[in-house]
Amino acid sequence: MKRLLEGFADRAADGLPEADIDADVTRGRVALRRIKRRRRTTGVLCVAAASALVLVVGNQVKWWGSSNNVASTVATPQVASEASKPAAAPVTPRSKETISNFGAPVVELVANKQAWRSISCGLAPRGLTPETPIAVNRVVLSQPAMRTADTATKVVLQTAPEAITLSKVRVSQVSGKTFRIGTLNGRLTGQVQVASQWLLVELPTGTVEWSDDILQRFLASCSVN
């Protein structure tokens, strides 16, 4: 640039005083210094802008990273507290007695070798014994420690020449015998025809649970003399 200005000055020197040439050279040098200063300023501004951009992006990344860390530190104690809770121990029945879905114990039939006058059954409910005296056509089974006059808590067997009408009757035939199971006076009742007689069994209410299958097994083990 300096050489260009000096050449320009030499070509324009014809007819001009020498002092004007020196002034032009001086102005050219001043212009060169101003151009250099502007380049330096522009470079500094560019560097500063780039640095500011890096700082802004870096702070954003750091902020997002710290937010993830905060979320993880908040969620971790909750997971730990859930894991630290002891598992619920399985509930086991305290006795060996079978429990039904309704909470009542299910009756258990056991072998019976005792004849009840005209009625004989090969099976009997566990814990129940016949009350004495035993009638000719009627047997009442109850717990020995709970002898009361309320027959609703007892098993009553009796014979009749004809079948008794039951409500909500379920009829089934097994081994040539016809079983009728229904309700009589609010009590589960079953009856089966044995020879020329009908054997009726009324079950207790609110003590143990009798299913239709158990009642049918009990009736099938009975005979009438």
Side-chain angles (χ1 to χ4, degrees):
M1 181 65 69
K2 180 179 179 181
R3 292 178 181 179
L4 290 174
L5 291 175
E6 289 177 351
F8 177 78
D10 292 339
R11 287 191 298 271
D14 296 336
L16 293 176
E18 190 172 340
D20 293 338
I21 296 173
D22 293 336
D24 292 337
V25 172
T26 300
R27 285 193 296 270
R29 290 177 178 177
V30 172
L32 285 174
R33 285 194 295 269
R34 288 179 179 176
I35 292 173
K36 291 181 180 180
R37 289 175 184 174
R38 290 178 180 177
R39 288 179 178 177
R40 292 174 184 173
T41 303
T42 304
V44 171
L45 292 175
C46 291
V47 172
S51 301
L53 181 60
V54 171
L55 290 175
V56 170
V57 174
N59 289 335
Q60 289 180 351
V61 173
K62 184 177 180 181
W63 184 83
W64 283 108
S66 62
S67 65
N68 291 336
N69 292 335
V70 171
S72 62
T73 55
V74 172
T76 301
Q78 295 178 355
V79 175
S81 62
E82 292 294 333
S84 61
K85 292 182 180 179
V91 179
T92 56
R94 296 184 178 180
S95 65
K96 297 181 180 179
E97 198 170 34
T98 303
I99 305 299
S100 69
N101 294 331
F102 300 98
V106 179
V107 68
E108 181 182 358
L109 299 178
V110 296
N112 175 47
K113 298 180 180 180
Q114 183 180 3
W116 302 325
R117 296 195 67 172
S118 62
I119 301 174
S120 299
C121 296
L123 298 175
R126 179 184 290 276
L128 301 185
T129 58
E131 295 181 359
T132 56
I134 301 176
V136 176
N137 62 342
R138 179 182 171 92
V139 179
V140 178
L141 304 177
S142 63
Q143 296 182 7
M146 298 178 61
R147 300 296 191 189
T148 63
D150 186 10
T151 58
T153 61
K154 306 173 183 180
V155 177
V156 179
L157 299 88
Q158 59 184 351
T159 58
E162 297 180 356
I164 296 178
T165 302
L166 305 176
S167 60
K168 300 179 181 179
V169 180
R170 284 90 67 187
V171 180
S172 61
Q173 291 185 350
V174 179
S175 302
K177 294 183 179 180
T178 301
F179 298 90
R180 298 180 181 179
I181 298 176
T183 304
L184 179 64
N185 298 326
R187 300 173 63 178
L188 182 63
T189 304
Q191 58 184 349
V192 61
Q193 187 175 12
V194 181
S196 60
Q197 297 285 320
W198 282 88
L199 176 63
L200 183 75
V201 176
E202 297 179 74
L203 301 179
T205 58
T207 54
V208 294
E209 182 184 350
W210 288 73
S211 65
D212 288 0
D213 292 338
I214 294 177
L215 177 54
Q216 184 172 309
R217 284 178 54 204
F218 181 45
L219 286 169
S221 70
C222 298
S223 60
V224 178
N225 300 327

